[in-house]
């Protein structure tokens, strides 16, 4: 998907590692989110995961899309605030 000049690729992932409230390592389901400069996927800007019960509430593609958009929005604000 295109968003704010970036190309975002979202893939299901069933092996996302997180630490629960008791400090235990657990495996979660969720999504791998990759942000590229364009559709060629040659220049990766960033990649991160969104785990159900941690970054997103439900195992839904729509929620992963919104999480990715929020990430891009946040990065855009950081870049503007750090400009000299």
């Amino acid at each position: 998907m295109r968003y704010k000049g970036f190309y975002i690729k979202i893939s299901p992932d069933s092996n996302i590692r997180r630490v629960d409230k008791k400090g235990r390592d657990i495996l979660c389901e969720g999504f791998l989110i990759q942000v590229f400069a364009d559709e060629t996927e040659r220049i990766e800007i960033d990649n991160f995961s969104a785990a159900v019960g941690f970054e997103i509430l439900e195992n839904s593609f729509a929620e992963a899309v919104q999480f990715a958009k929020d990430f891009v929005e946040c990065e855009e604000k950081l870049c503007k605030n750090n400009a000299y």
Side-chain angles (χ1 to χ4, degrees):
M1 103 178 155
R2 278 195 131 325
Y3 186 70
K4 298 231 173 193
F6 296 99
Y7 178 70
I8 301 171
K9 182 177 177 180
I10 301 173
S11 308
D13 190 348
S14 59
N15 293 307
I16 300 172
R17 296 191 181 279
R18 292 292 185 264
V19 177
D20 70 8
K21 291 179 181 179
K22 294 182 180 180
R24 298 176 294 202
D25 289 332
I26 58 173
L27 284 177
C28 303
E29 291 186 350
F31 299 90
L32 171 63
I33 301 169
Q34 296 169 284
V35 181
F36 297 95
D38 60 26
E39 290 90 352
T40 65
E41 298 181 11
R42 283 186 256 172
I43 302 172
E44 185 176 71
I45 306 297
D46 205 346
N47 72 63
F48 50 94
S49 57
V52 176
F54 289 84
E55 293 83 15
I56 58 177
L57 297 177
E58 299 175 4
N59 195 3
S60 94
F61 185 76
E63 195 162 341
V65 167
Q66 187 58 53
F67 185 75
K69 287 179 177 180
D70 292 345
F71 174 83
V72 169
E73 294 279 341
C74 184
E75 288 296 308
E76 186 177 60
K77 288 176 186 174
L78 285 173
C79 289
K80 285 182 182 177
N81 289 338
N82 290 328
Y84 295 93

